[in-house]
């Protein structure tokens, strides 16, 4: 066998830290203030499409109608599980919950689109599509989607 | 070009350091609706949407996807374009090529930036070469500081000349209702502003702005049928440099670099002998005062080393013989993803006679817009009121 000297690959460590602030805007601000101060969940109704969308947004993507704060409507708080999965590993980007955790798409009552959130307070074996759930709020809410701890069976 | 392409409408948001009232989608939507109104069109009329911004500048990726609703792009063809400082012009280039090729008749082009939201300095450091440049990153200020030092040493220009550019830009911006830095400043103010990196002072640099611009392009039939004042894109070109060709610091260099190569190709195609006579107005991408004077030379508005004299004579003032950046330019408004598109849109407004308070006081039939990105590339756009030239 040929005895060849191999140079170890040379690498230079690169690290970029980038902090950002997202301004919630017209609709997002209304949503988070209602969630934080009143434990209310807001969607927006497009009169043209007769659809209630979550999250609330200023333009209906489908028909390009301009929606305003007057079109905001309360949805939920209860809803139905559209789909779900049980996650058996942990990642830094996951919410601060130990695996296994259950992610679900929940269609809140009165809404035509789903919200992704956690399911808790129930044996995962008992969760099924179509199951009725309701949000559990934390005590000290600061305007974050995790002001809802998880959804539990009604 | 296979088919003629015209700018048949456009619009912009107002530009400011803070837009806490809107999220990214709401801000983009303001410009989209303004452009549709200008073109007297609805989103249903639009065949495709092209959108772009600086990569990750506001902490978001895949902006074409998650701004689809606000952009009006739901279910429509299109793509995201990301070419740094030039992106606004590259988006128009992509739209223009699609229309010229016959693939679409009506295309909506969006450039935006919400600079206040992200760590733009950190993200920009990713532009520098990981092995040789990143640890020495000086961002945009450093780049133009080197240029200024070289420019003064080579040609005998003084800091006062940069100050004149600073004043021209902000005084023009005061005439532009959409501009960010509408500053009533004097040469003294500019010379006394805080030193950032010699010779670049605070007022020598562009601001970090939030804002969006939208331009709607149409084929010739659409333009003639439904647009009162179509502005024709007569030529577009782009050229790049590699970042270690330090040509941009050596302002005496005579070999072709990105800017001069691009201009030469475009002038040849259009048959331009004397650009300052051929074009009636210029909207150039000048993130720093020194860059404006170097652009005069790169574009052939004067000889090498004479740019600062052009400034001194007032030739490039809004009412001068060679008006440059009557809008106030990038020095007054820099929402980067929109900035190069704003140059094209402002040039189009001058040809339409619709620039309002900053309309140049002469007949405008042809205009040249440039874009500029670190590290060293450009996109140039030649506009005309006619398809005859
Ligand atoms: Zn709708």
């Amino acid at each position: 066998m040929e005895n060849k000297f191999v140079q170890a690959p040379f690498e230079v460590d690169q690290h970029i830290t980038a902090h950002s602030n997202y301004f919630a805007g017209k609709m997002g601000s209304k949503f988070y203030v209602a969630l934080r101060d009143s434990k209310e969940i807001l969607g927006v109704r497009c009169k043209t499409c007769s659809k209630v969308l979550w999250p609330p947004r200023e333009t209906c993507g489908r028909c390009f109608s301009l929606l305003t704060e007057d079109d905001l409507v309360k949805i939920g708080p209860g809803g139905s599980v559209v789909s779900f999965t049980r996650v058996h590993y942990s990642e830094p980007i996951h919410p601060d919950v130990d695996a296994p955790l259950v992610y679900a798409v929940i269609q809140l009552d009165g809404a035509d689109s789903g919200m992704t959130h956690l399911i808790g307070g129930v044996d995962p074996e008992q969760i099924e599509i179509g199951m009725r759930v309701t949000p559990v709020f934390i005590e000290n809410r600061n305007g974050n989607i995790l002001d809802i701890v998880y959804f539990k069976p009604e | 070009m296979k088919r003629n392409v015209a700018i048949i409408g456009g619009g912009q948001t107002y530009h400011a350091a803070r837009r806490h009232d809107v999220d990214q989608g709401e801000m983009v939507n303001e410009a989209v609706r303004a452009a549709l109104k200008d073109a007297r069109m609805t989103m249903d009329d639009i065949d495709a949407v092209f959108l772009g911004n600086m990569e990750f500048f506001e902490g978001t990726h895949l902006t074409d996807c998650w701004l689809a609703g606000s952009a009006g792009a739901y279910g429509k063809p299109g793509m995201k374009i990301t070419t740094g400082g030039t992106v606004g012009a590259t988006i128009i280039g992509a739209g223009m090529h699609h229309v010229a090729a016959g693939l679409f008749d009506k295309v909506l082009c969006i450039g935006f930036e919400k600079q206040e939201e992200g760590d733009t300095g950190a993200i920009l450091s990713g532009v520098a070469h990981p092995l040789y440049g990143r640890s020495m990153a000086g961002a945009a200020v450093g780049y133009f500081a080197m240029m200024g030092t070289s420019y003064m040493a080579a040609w005998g220009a003084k800091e006062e000349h940069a100050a004149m550019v600073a004043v021209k830009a902000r005084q023009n911006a005061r005439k532009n209702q959409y501009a960010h830095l509408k500053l009533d400043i004097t040469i003294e103010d500019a010379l006394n502003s805080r030193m950032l990196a010699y010779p670049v002072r605070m007022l020598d640099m562009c601001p970090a702005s939030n804002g969006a611009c939208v331009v709607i392009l149409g084929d010739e039939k659409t333009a003639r049928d439904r647009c009162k004042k179509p502005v024709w894109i007569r030529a577009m070109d782009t050229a790049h440099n590699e970042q270690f060709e330090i040509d941009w610091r050596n302002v005496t260099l005579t070999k072709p670099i990105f800017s001069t190569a691009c201009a030469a190709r475009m002038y040849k195609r259009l048959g331009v002998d004397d650009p300052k006579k051929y074009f009636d107005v210029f909207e150039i991408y000048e993130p720093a005062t020194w860059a404006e004077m170097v652009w005069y030379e790169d574009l052939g508005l004067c000889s090498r080393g004479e740019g600062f004299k052009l400034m001194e004579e007032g030739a490039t003032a809004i009412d001068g013989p060679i008006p440059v950046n009557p809008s106030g330019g990038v020095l007054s408004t820099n929402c980067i993803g929109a900035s190069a598109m704003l140059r094209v849109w402002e040039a189009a407004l001058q040809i339409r006679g619709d620039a309002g308070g900053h309309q140049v006081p002469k007949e405008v039939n042809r205009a040249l817009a440039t874009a500029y990105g670190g590290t060293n590339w450009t996109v140039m756009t030649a506009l005309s009121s006619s398809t005859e030239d």
Side-chain angles (χ1 to χ4, degrees):
Chain A
M1 216 170 104
E2 197 183 348
N3 190 5
K4 204 167 77 177
F5 173 75
V6 180
Q7 169 83 47
F10 189 78
E11 59 184 314
V12 175
D13 181 57
Q14 301 290 325
H15 186 84
I16 295 175
T17 302
H19 183 83
S20 66
N21 287 308
Y22 190 91
F23 286 92
K26 298 173 201 166
M27 296 302 207
S29 300
K30 291 280 179 193
F31 173 82
Y32 278 114
V33 168
L35 185 70
R36 182 191 65 192
D37 297 350
S38 319
K39 293 199 267 191
E40 284 172 3
I41 302 172
L42 297 180
V44 69
R45 181 189 302 280
C46 175
K47 294 186 192 82
T48 310
C49 299
S50 305
K51 298 277 185 204
V52 174
L53 309 168
W54 186 88
R57 74 287 307 263
E58 191 198 32
T59 295
C60 173
R62 307 250 170 151
C63 72
F64 206 65
S65 288
L66 186 66
L67 310 174
T68 73
E69 290 164 14
D70 295 337
D71 299 309
L72 291 169
V73 290
K74 276 189 241 176
I75 55 175
S80 305
V81 173
V82 175
S83 188
F84 69 97
T85 184
R86 195 174 179 196
V87 182
H88 294 273
Y89 64 96
S90 293
E91 283 280 354
I93 62 159
H94 285 169
D96 191 16
V97 180
D98 290 334
L101 55 101
V102 178
Y103 269 129
V105 175
I106 298 152
Q107 187 165 350
L108 297 176
D109 296 341
D112 292 292
S113 57
M115 169 193 283
T116 302
H117 218 292
L118 300 162
I119 302 277
V122 60
D123 174 2
E125 298 296 330
Q126 305 297 312
I127 301 172
E128 53 187 33
I129 287 173
M131 187 172 78
R132 295 287 306 166
V133 290
T134 193
V136 175
F137 296 92
I138 54 169
E139 191 82 4
N140 298 310
R141 294 176 301 280
N142 52 17
N144 186 297
I145 201 68
L146 294 172
D147 282 353
I148 298 170
V149 189
Y150 52 69
F151 283 75
K152 65 169 189 184
E154 269 183 356
Chain B
M1 272 189 279
K2 208 165 180 185
R3 299 204 301 172
N4 284 321
V5 181
I7 293 172
I8 58 172
Q12 59 187 300
T13 62
Y14 71 90
H15 306 287
R18 301 281 174 262
R19 283 304 306 269
H20 295 177
D21 57 321
V22 286
D23 73 356
Q24 291 171 26
E26 290 162 352
M27 188 183 78
V28 164
N29 195 252
E30 276 181 23
V32 173
R33 290 186 190 275
L36 289 170
K37 188 176 174 208
D38 179 73
R40 296 190 308 278
M41 294 172 104
T42 70
M43 209 59 222
D44 291 338
D45 295 320
I46 301 295
D47 300 327
V49 176
F50 294 81
L51 171 144
N53 62 312
M54 289 288 284
E55 264 171 304
F56 209 59
F57 249 35
E58 33 280 290
T60 53
H61 280 310
L62 303 178
T63 45
D64 52 334
C65 297
W66 70 273
L67 293 177
S70 310
Y74 181 84
K76 292 187 191 290
M79 66 179 88
K80 180 192 175 190
I81 309 282
T82 309
T83 62
T86 56
V87 64
T90 313
I91 298 162
I92 291 178
M96 187 270 286
H97 283 119
H98 278 80
V99 175
L103 205 56
F104 305 121
D105 292 337
K106 288 153 285 178
V107 164
L108 187 107
C109 301
I110 306 171
F112 81 95
E113 209 75 72
K114 207 147 184 270
Q115 278 218 57
E116 65 180 318
E117 302 202 344
D119 189 341
T120 57
I123 301 303
L124 208 56
S125 74
V127 176
H129 194 291
L131 296 184
Y132 307 111
R134 200 166 295 174
S135 302
M136 286 288 138
V141 176
Y143 177 110
F144 293 112
M146 299 289 189
M147 179 188 276
T149 305
S150 164
Y151 194 82
M152 286 191 291
W155 309 124
K158 303 275 181 249
E159 285 186 63
E160 281 76 4
H161 295 103
M164 290 173 198
V165 180
V167 170
K168 172 174 82 70
R170 280 48 173 265
Q171 291 293 348
N172 285 352
R174 292 178 70 214
K175 302 177 172 75
N176 176 359
Q177 59 169 316
Y178 299 105
H180 177 183
L181 293 186
K182 300 186 187 79
L183 305 177
D184 187 10
I185 54 164
T186 62
I187 303 277
E188 289 302 304
D189 294 330
L191 289 173
N192 291 324
S193 66
R194 184 157 72 89
M195 183 66 81
L196 298 174
Y198 180 84
V200 173
R201 294 172 182 274
M202 199 67 146
L203 287 170
D204 285 311
M205 285 304 296
C206 57
S209 316
N210 299 307
C213 181
V214 170
V215 164
I216 301 175
L217 305 177
D219 68 305
E220 183 159 1
K221 184 174 185 313
T222 304
R224 296 209 189 277
D225 284 354
R226 54 190 304 169
C227 181
K228 277 194 195 126
K229 291 183 270 189
V231 174
W232 303 95
I233 299 177
R234 301 310 297 144
M236 277 193 94
D237 208 329
T238 184
H240 295 70
N241 267 42
E242 200 263 343
Q243 59 183 271
F244 295 103
E245 293 189 45
I246 55 170
D247 306 343
W248 48 273
R249 294 176 201 178
N250 179 3
V251 297
T252 62
L253 207 91
T254 52
K255 92 174 168 81
I257 58 170
F258 69 107
S259 47
T260 51
C262 193
R265 262 203 313 266
M266 183 178 267
Y267 293 168
K268 192 178 173 196
R269 189 178 313 158
L270 293 169
V272 178
D273 289 328
D274 186 352
K276 68 179 180 293
K277 292 209 169 68
Y278 186 89
F279 295 105
D280 302 305
V281 64
F282 296 80
E283 275 288 338
I284 62 169
Y285 200 112
E286 29 57 290
T289 50
W290 298 99
E292 171 149 342
M293 294 181 283
V294 173
W295 268 124
Y296 296 166
E297 300 169 17
D298 287 358
L299 291 174
L301 306 184
C302 59
S303 307
R304 193 53 71 193
E306 304 272 304
F308 72 99
K309 293 176 189 163
L310 215 56
M311 189 65 232
E312 202 173 72
E313 292 159 13
T316 56
I318 195 165
D319 55 355
I322 318 166
V324 176
N325 289 12
S327 67
V330 179
L331 278 171
S332 304
T333 304
N334 195 13
C335 29
I336 306 183
S339 290
M341 191 177 290
L342 282 169
R343 305 281 69 71
V344 178
W345 175 233
E346 287 289 351
L349 284 173
Q350 291 288 344
I351 290 173
R352 285 180 15 170
D354 288 340
H358 59 287
Q359 180 71 40
V360 301
K362 66 171 183 178
E363 194 184 331
V364 179
N365 287 306
R366 297 191 192 114
L368 180 67
T370 74
Y372 197 175
T375 56
N376 312 317
W377 70 89
T378 186
V379 178
M380 295 187 187
T381 311
L383 302 174
S384 174
S385 60
S386 161
T387 51
E388 300 305 310
D389 51 36

